[in-house]
Amino acid sequence: KLVNSMARLDAVTTEQISQLTSANKVQTDQFEGLRRLLLGMVEDARAILVILAGRLHLLRASKNLTTEIQRQLALETQRIYSPLANRLGIWQIKWELEDMSLRFLEPAEYKRIANLLDGKRTERERYIGQVISILRDKFAESGIKASISGRPKHIYSIWRKMSRKKVDFDQIFDVRAVRVLVDTVADCYAALGIAHGLWQHIPGEFDDYIATPKANFYQSIHTAVAGPESGMPVEIQIR
């Protein structure tokens, strides 16, 4: 099945994808149609993994290519391959594909955000550690078993949110972020109640993807609070 799936995917040539992504007037549903075509052609999902891994390797190795080729690869990745990884829930590959695409499409913004993240890393890690410690103690008191960790920063998602909300880096609340993993849906909402009881919720920063899952079946609760002491914004994801 894997061999058959790879053969079918080869039928959708790089040239066809390149022609679609380089067109000036292409509707969003045309990209969605191509993504559905690729998914529908495979009998073995591992074939998509091979394709995504190949694209990731190509981007990593494209440092010495011309700017024009880099931008074309980035556009193809952003419009076709990253959404495929998202559809399959392969988050780590999705994040890296998006970040590397942004690096070629918006190099100045990519570098600026990366430098800001790196420059505030020590402060951010200390603050996140404090939040995790407080949550861990409160969850234990309430009998909630939870795994709590700092969430890795994703440059593309920060850039996209800055662009969408027309705000600067300091106004992005998920720069400091914590991920909470619990055993049950009931524990998700109990953990949310504890977090909101500890710190003030930031208005407009709440999404319940458990009650209303995303199209790719992603389920989680996202909230943002003014954290301990200085009240710096912290995003908390609970799933």
Coordinates of all heavy atoms in Angstrom, one line a residue, residues 135-146 182-184 187 190-191 194:
L135 N 0.6 26.2 39.8 CA -0.5 25.3 39.3 C -0.4 23.9 39.8 O -1.3 23.2 40.2 CB -0.5 25.3 37.7 CG -1.0 26.5 37.0 CD1 -0.8 26.4 35.5 CD2 -2.5 26.7 37.3
R136 N 0.9 23.4 39.8 CA 1.1 22.0 40.3 C 0.6 21.8 41.7 O 0.0 20.8 42.0 CB 2.6 21.6 40.1 CG 2.9 20.2 40.4 CD 4.3 19.9 40.2 NE 4.6 19.8 38.7 CZ 5.5 20.6 38.1 NH1 6.3 21.4 38.8 NH2 5.7 20.4 36.8
D137 N 0.9 22.8 42.6 CA 0.5 22.7 44.0 C -1.0 22.7 44.1 O -1.6 21.9 44.9 CB 1.1 23.8 44.8 CG 2.6 23.6 45.0 OD1 3.1 22.5 44.7 OD2 3.3 24.6 45.3
K138 N -1.7 23.6 43.4 CA -3.1 23.8 43.5 C -3.8 22.6 42.9 O -4.9 22.1 43.4 CB -3.5 25.1 42.7 CG -3.1 26.3 43.4 CD -3.8 26.4 44.8 CE -3.5 27.7 45.5 NZ -4.1 27.8 46.8
F139 N -3.3 22.0 41.8 CA -3.9 20.8 41.2 C -3.8 19.6 42.2 O -4.8 18.9 42.4 CB -3.3 20.4 39.9 CG -3.6 21.4 38.8 CD1 -2.8 21.4 37.6 CD2 -4.6 22.3 38.8 CE1 -3.1 22.3 36.6 CE2 -4.9 23.2 37.8 CZ -4.1 23.1 36.7
A140 N -2.7 19.5 42.8 CA -2.5 18.4 43.8 C -3.4 18.6 45.0 O -4.0 17.6 45.4 CB -1.0 18.4 44.3
E141 N -3.6 19.8 45.4 CA -4.6 20.0 46.5 C -6.0 19.6 46.1 O -6.8 19.2 47.0 CB -4.6 21.5 46.9 CG -3.4 22.0 47.6 CD -3.4 23.5 47.9 OE1 -4.5 24.1 47.7 OE2 -2.3 24.0 48.3
S142 N -6.3 19.7 44.8 CA -7.7 19.4 44.3 C -7.8 18.0 43.8 O -8.9 17.6 43.3 CB -8.1 20.4 43.2 OG -8.1 21.7 43.7
G143 N -6.7 17.2 43.9 CA -6.7 15.9 43.5 C -6.7 15.7 41.9 O -7.2 14.7 41.4
I144 N -6.3 16.7 41.2 CA -6.2 16.6 39.8 C -4.8 16.1 39.3 O -3.8 16.8 39.7 CB -6.5 18.0 39.1 CG1 -7.9 18.4 39.5 CG2 -6.3 17.9 37.6 CD1 -8.3 19.8 38.9
K145 N -4.7 15.0 38.6 CA -3.5 14.5 38.1 C -3.2 15.3 36.8 O -4.0 15.2 35.9 CB -3.5 13.0 37.9 CG -3.7 12.2 39.2 CD -3.7 10.7 38.9 CE -3.8 9.9 40.1 NZ -3.9 8.4 39.8
A146 N -2.1 16.0 36.7 CA -1.8 16.8 35.6 C -0.3 16.8 35.2 O 0.6 16.7 36.1 CB -2.2 18.2 35.8
V182 N -4.4 16.6 31.3 CA -5.1 15.9 32.4 C -5.8 14.7 31.8 O -5.7 14.4 30.6 CB -6.1 16.9 33.0 CG1 -5.5 18.0 33.7 CG2 -7.1 17.4 32.0
D183 N -6.4 13.9 32.7 CA -7.0 12.6 32.3 C -8.3 12.6 31.7 O -8.7 11.8 30.9 CB -7.0 11.7 33.6 CG -5.6 11.3 34.1 OD1 -4.7 11.3 33.2 OD2 -5.5 11.0 35.3
T184 N -9.2 13.6 32.1 CA -10.6 13.6 31.7 C -11.0 15.0 31.3 O -10.4 16.0 31.6 CB -11.5 13.1 32.8 OG1 -11.5 14.1 33.9 CG2 -11.0 11.7 33.4
D187 N -11.7 17.1 34.3 CA -10.5 17.6 34.8 C -10.1 18.9 34.1 O -9.5 19.8 34.6 CB -9.4 16.6 34.9 CG -9.6 15.6 36.0 OD1 -10.4 15.8 36.9 OD2 -8.9 14.5 35.9
A190 N -12.1 21.6 35.5 CA -11.7 21.9 36.9 C -10.4 22.6 36.9 O -10.2 23.6 37.7 CB -11.6 20.5 37.6
A191 N -9.5 22.2 36.0 CA -8.2 22.9 35.9 C -8.4 24.4 35.5 O -7.7 25.3 36.0 CB -7.3 22.2 35.0
I194 N -9.6 26.4 38.4 CA -8.5 26.7 39.3 C -7.6 27.9 38.8 O -7.2 28.8 39.5 CB -7.6 25.5 39.6 CG1 -8.4 24.5 40.4 CG2 -6.3 25.8 40.3 CD1 -7.7 23.1 40.6

